[in-house]
């Protein structure tokens, strides 16, 4: 533990101005660091393969983490707020470099249940979806066109750190990617509110290798994505109600294929 | 439509300083108005039994609502922001008085699927839960001890207006309330991550009148609530993962009993 009193200390640069856009790893100029906030999420980062660069926190929170292999900068809540640019009531942060992820094909080979996302750009929805995937036994997530970066700070936080635990891989070419999944024994089920889709419970998905494909809240999956799937499935819903939030719909689908 | 340019005009008092605590209907001093934000939610309010007092919006949004039975005050986005106390990108608001709600017993008599909540105090979770209840065919929600007011502005917004559509009633005495439900033919199933609980899919709940009981995120249901239920059910989950968000767990349970 290293005490620091000066908010301008360059050793704290990994944690500086976290809310400004250029720290977003998914934007040009972003540094691509993984930032974990709060004891629970920092613990998940420490247990993950991501190489931790440093920690920053108030003494009580840093001590709660036990022995550490990275420098831990200890300071006051006020200095922390000045460094990160906003008041942080979780009291501890960690910064890590990115770690290599498996390719989509490596992930497919070792998995039995996957999620494939198209156009899930909202960081909170993406984080919630990873949390639900972790809880409900999904082996990995494939990020199709239009998805945002699961390692953006807000996604890490909303996922409660489960983006660090559920493996993911890009799937930039959706049709070719679904062919690859079929080649690895997967049935690809597109989730859509269309009337012509089969009810989830009647689709016979429980005993197969299944990839559930989900689109963004609002527009949902593109027609091309639905046509490229093996079947279309739906959650029976009351007429006249907006579709469910994408992370909630995903949770129901993950439960149904478990 | 009535044009208003002066943010101090007393006809706009229903919409004044919406973010300050004393406008919260669930706090002493709150005025108990129901506030709807945005075209979709305002439309749901107009279609609900809640008596609309007035609307406030920019001309384009108010015109999108069609013919109205209440005064509609039309102004600029700047004047609106000054009145409500923050910038509102939804462009239209409506204020309504509360409407009488059924009692828990009236709701039980006419329902086949209910949710019973204990300690769900978070307004966003409560709003999401109502949205999921509306989508998945739940007939009503009983609010046990420790629940917050579903008509608080944030809950109305997060529910996408479905708190105005799904009936609810207070259930202040949980044990007596569950007896009343049983007397009306309901099986009360407590949702809990306890190992001793039966898996949701194996609990034989599909063809009964069912009330699913849910506790707050974090602590979950109290022991007393679980013991007062007819059975305890659980969502099969990966070990070592935090429990699901309460609205997400509710969605899975609502799907499973549909």
């Amino acid at each position: 533990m290293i005490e620091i009193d000066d908010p301008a200390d360059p050793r704290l640069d990994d944690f500086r101005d976290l809310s400004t856009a250029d720290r977003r790893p998914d934007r040009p100029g972003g540094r691509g660091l993984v930032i974990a906030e709060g004891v629970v999420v920092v613990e998940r980062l420490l247990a993950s393969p991501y190489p931790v660069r440093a920690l920053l926190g108030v003494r009580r929170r840093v001590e709660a983490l036990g022995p550490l292999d990275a420098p831990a900068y200890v300071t006051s809540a006020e200095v922390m707020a000045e460094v990160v640019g906003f008041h942080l009531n979780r009291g501890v942060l960690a910064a890590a470099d990115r770690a290599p992820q498996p390719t989509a094909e490596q992930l497919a080979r070792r998995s039995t249940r996957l999620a494939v996302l198209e156009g899930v750009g909202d960081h909170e929805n993406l984080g919630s979806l990873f949390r639900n995937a972790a809880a409900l036994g999904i082996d990995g997530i494939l990020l199709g066109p239009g998805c945002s970066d699961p390692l953006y700070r807000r996604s890490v936080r909303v996922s409660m750190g489960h983006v660090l635990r559920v493996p993911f891989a890009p799937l930039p070419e959706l049709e070719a990617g679904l062919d690859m999944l079929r080649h690895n024994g997967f049935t690809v089920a597109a989730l859509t509110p269309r009337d012509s889709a089969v009810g989830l419970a009647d689709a016979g998905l429980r005993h197969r290798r299944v990839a559930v494909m989900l689109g963004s809240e609002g527009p949902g999956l593109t027609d091309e994505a639905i046509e490229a799937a093996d079947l279309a499935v739906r959650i029976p819903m009351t007429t006249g109600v907006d579709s469910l939030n994408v992370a909630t719909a995903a949770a129901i689908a993950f439960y149904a294929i478990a």
Side-chain angles (χ1 to χ4, degrees), chain A:
Chain A
M1 288 203 221
I2 302 146
E3 297 256 10
I4 292 190
D5 293 329
D6 176 10
D9 192 308
R11 289 173 294 178
L12 304 185
D13 283 354
D14 281 354
F15 303 101
R16 206 169 296 289
D17 300 331
L18 289 180
S19 62
T20 60
D22 71 345
R23 294 290 182 269
R24 282 179 59 168
D26 53 339
R27 289 201 176 165
R31 286 179 304 170
L33 293 181
V34 181
I35 303 288
E37 298 164 82
V39 169
V40 171
V41 181
V42 168
E43 281 174 343
R44 292 209 168 112
L45 180 64
L46 295 170
S48 79
Y50 295 83
V52 176
R53 295 161 60 98
L55 294 95
L56 169 65
V58 296
R59 177 168 294 277
R60 189 167 60 90
R61 300 290 187 196
V62 174
E63 281 176 351
L65 295 167
L68 298 166
D69 288 333
Y73 302 114
V74 170
T75 188
S76 66
E78 292 69 32
V79 170
M80 266 187 89
E82 198 164 331
V83 173
V84 304
F86 53 91
H87 179 72
L88 198 95
N89 51 22
R90 287 180 180 79
V92 64
L93 292 165
D97 287 314
R98 298 200 164 211
Q101 288 282 346
T103 66
E105 184 142 21
Q106 286 167 339
L107 202 45
R109 281 204 199 114
R110 67 186 200 213
S111 299
T112 57
R113 280 174 293 165
L114 292 170
V116 178
L117 309 183
E118 183 194 37
V120 180
D122 181 274
H123 290 109
E124 296 203 10
N125 284 344
L126 194 61
S128 300
L129 203 151
F130 269 82
R131 178 183 176 190
N132 297 343
L136 296 162
I138 295 298
D139 301 314
I141 295 183
L142 301 177
L143 303 164
C147 292
S148 56
D149 177 5
L151 296 178
Y152 175 56
R153 186 169 59 88
R154 188 191 300 269
S155 295
V156 175
R157 184 178 69 231
V158 173
S159 81
M160 302 187 68
H162 291 301
V163 293
L164 308 169
R165 175 172 173 156
V166 178
F168 57 88
L171 199 72
E173 301 284 345
L174 200 60
E175 280 189 49
L178 301 192
D179 283 341
M180 179 277 291
L181 287 173
R182 274 187 282 268
H183 190 254
N184 281 280
F186 278 86
T187 299
V188 179
L191 193 70
T192 163
R194 284 186 188 179
D195 285 340
S196 59
V198 186
L200 248 184
D202 307 317
L205 296 173
R206 273 180 184 262
H207 302 289
R208 305 196 215 171
R209 297 181 94 177
V210 176
V212 179
M213 184 161 57
L214 298 130
S216 70
E217 199 171 332
L221 288 170
T222 58
D223 291 345
E224 293 70 28
I226 296 174
E227 274 151 37
D230 295 305
L231 76 165
V233 294
R234 67 183 174 79
I235 297 169
M237 277 198 274
T238 313
T239 337
V241 175
D242 332 72
S243 61
L244 294 162
N245 167 283
V246 61
T248 306
I252 292 175
F254 298 161
Y255 167 80
I257 64 167

